Amino acid sequence: MNIALLGCGVVGGGVLEIAEKRADMSVKYVLVRRDKPELGEKAVKDINVILNDPEVDTVVEVMGGLSPAYEYVRAALRAGKNVVTANKHLVAHYYKELVELAEEHGAAFRCTPAVGGGIPWLVNLERVKRLDSVRSFCGIMNGTTNFILDAMHTNGSDFAEVLAQAQELGYAEADPSADIDGLDIQRKAVITANVAFDACLCEADVPVFGIRSVCAADIAAADGRGRICKMLAFGEKGTSGVSCYVEPCFVPAGELEAAVSTNRNVISFDTELTGKESFYGQGAGRYPTAYNAVADCVDIMNGVKSFYTRSFRSVPVDNGAAVHPYYVRFNGADDFLDSVSVEDCGEGVITMPVPVSKMHDWAAKAKEADPELFIAGLM
């Protein structure tokens, strides 16, 4: 296999290192924006060099972002080249177009490293669906937010302090918005729901509440109820559509998700035949993510020539059927919150069971009155 690597940062460098140790694949080109003398003749700055070379059969995109990654991946698929990407934003945003384009041009399109980092989550979803039906999924899908919440519970760390530590360790970007506002998880949830349920959700379909405003009082409230605060993604197939959302949750201390520490992830699905299956491991990082990118290339060499599902359809997204109590910390008076509150909890309140759609709609508006608002579902 002759590979063209788009991007050579942390993950791209890992892909290059792993691939070059194999006798059955070679990285012929590395598309770079700046000079990298250490790459020698592999380094190119013009995507057309790659697109016009018939010897390149597979493009591995690890640039990140939407543009120019989208334009490059689209052109590669149109040229009939297989594409492997770790770019969850790209896949979630252009899901239908890219999957259809790959099918039209007979190219494989794989994105195992985009969801779960080193956990081969999508591959296992694909495998289980050959014989079974996925009813729901749930999981910790972001190492940065898990690292932050774990440190706040175990060390009593301040949010800003532990976020800075996560940035120093390379878990969080200089601009951590995608992580702490839940957008990274939202994109992974979109891809997971689409594969699990043969759907065609987009980011706007999946409401999200992040942990930007979490504070010590919220962690104490969770501890006081024998729970651990975790950032979770949920998806469930209903009779007429699907439910999918992302939010912090107070998880009972005995549950699997509560035990996941530092920057690790755990993702589970529930199926008709086997029940709950869970997958645990590194959710990000140079080698875990690069490993799954190269593993996708190996699968393609072994005959995989399609996406994880060949079926996708527009389905209604209904988060009104998902109902549970919430912990809410809100500074001010609010008629809705007063009408659903059943008890005080530290600096916040516990609500009666509330539809997820209603709570997220309310929270989106309530943040305008109180930017420090924090909500968490009670599992």
Side-chain angles (χ1 to χ4, degrees):
M1 172 180 279
N2 282 313
I3 295 170
L5 184 60
L6 309 187
C8 198
V10 173
V11 175
V15 171
L16 181 63
E17 184 178 337
I18 296 171
E20 290 287 70
K21 291 178 180 178
R22 297 183 60 92
D24 55 0
M25 61 178 62
S26 172
V27 177
K28 187 171 183 181
Y29 299 111
V30 180
L31 186 72
V32 297
R33 296 177 180 176
R34 297 180 299 275
D35 291 335
K36 282 188 173 282
E38 66 273 21
L39 295 175
E41 295 181 355
K42 292 182 187 295
V44 296
K45 293 183 179 179
D46 184 357
I47 187 66
N48 290 302
V49 174
I50 293 167
L51 298 175
N52 295 329
D53 188 338
E55 291 186 354
V56 173
D57 49 75
T58 302
V59 169
V60 178
E61 185 273 312
V62 286
M63 303 173 68
L66 289 183
S67 184
Y70 164 65
E71 290 80 8
Y72 292 169
V73 166
R74 180 179 59 179
L77 291 172
R78 283 178 171 168
K81 300 184 187 298
N82 306 309
V83 169
V84 172
T85 177
N87 190 338
K88 83 251 336 154
H89 195 182
L90 173 74
V91 180
H93 201 76
Y94 294 105
Y95 182 85
K96 185 172 187 290
E97 178 185 351
L98 296 178
V99 173
E100 287 184 332
L101 202 57
E103 182 79 17
E104 179 185 348
H105 292 279
F109 180 51
R110 309 292 283 184
C111 58
T112 306
V115 183
I119 305 171
W121 167 243
L122 296 180
V123 172
N124 281 283
L125 265 185
E126 177 183 35
R127 183 174 182 269
V128 77
K129 285 180 60 191
R130 296 174 192 164
L131 295 173
D132 209 345
S133 175
V134 179
R135 294 184 294 202
S136 65
F137 68 84
C138 169
I140 296 170
M141 296 187 179
N142 181 273
T144 302
T145 51
N146 199 61
F147 177 84
I148 291 170
L149 293 172
D150 181 57
M152 292 180 75
H153 270 285
T154 58
N155 305 325
S157 300
D158 174 74
F159 176 83
E161 172 191 346
V162 72
L163 172 59
Q165 184 182 358
Q167 290 170 318
E168 290 174 9
L169 292 170
Y171 298 156
E173 301 288 342
D175 179 0
S177 299
D179 291 320
I180 64 175
D181 291 331
L183 302 180
D184 175 86
I185 310 171
Q186 179 192 50
R187 293 157 188 161
K188 294 172 181 175
V190 165
I191 299 167
T192 297
N194 287 346
V195 173
F197 308 135
D198 295 327
C200 195
L201 276 60
C202 64
E203 292 144 292
D205 293 324
V206 180
V208 56
F209 194 97
I211 65 164
R212 182 182 289 271
S213 57
V214 68
C215 69
D218 307 319
I219 301 301
D223 285 335
R225 302 185 77 87
R227 286 170 161 82
I228 306 295
C229 186
K230 294 292 182 181
M231 186 71 173
L232 298 177
F234 297 90
E236 184 170 6
K237 181 168 61 176
T239 54
S240 59
V242 301
S243 170
C244 191
Y245 57 95
V246 176
E247 65 185 19
C249 290
F250 286 0
V251 181
E255 293 295 320
L256 173 64
E257 291 80 8
V260 178
S261 62
T262 63
N263 66 326
R264 292 177 174 84
N265 288 186
V266 65
I267 315 175
S268 306
F269 54 64
D270 183 72
T271 73
E272 297 285 348
L273 298 178
T274 62
K276 184 176 180 178
E277 297 182 28
S278 301
F279 302 84
Y280 167 85
Q282 290 286 349
R286 179 186 182 96
Y287 291 114
T289 306
Y291 160 82
N292 262 335
V294 178
D296 276 351
C297 293
V298 173
D299 285 345
I300 292 169
M301 285 195 297
N302 288 335
V304 171
K305 290 294 290 182
S306 63
F307 194 62
Y308 307 89
T309 175
R310 290 174 178 254
S311 174
F312 53 90
R313 65 201 189 284
S314 296
V315 296
V317 179
D318 179 15
N319 288 310
V323 179
H324 53 248
Y326 279 88
Y327 162 85
V328 180
R329 177 175 50 76
F330 176 74
N331 183 24
D334 183 88
D335 291 341
F336 168 75
L337 187 58
D338 290 343
S339 71
V340 297
S341 297
V342 294
E343 63 176 290
D344 292 334
C345 182
E347 295 184 12
V349 298
I350 301 297
T351 74
M352 64 178 66
V354 177
V356 168
S357 56
K358 182 171 289 189
M359 180 55 73
H360 278 256
D361 286 346
W362 173 81
K365 298 173 184 175
K367 279 196 295 187
E368 297 175 7
D370 178 17
E372 297 305 310
L373 165 73
F374 183 74
I375 68 170
L378 263 64
M379 291 181 64

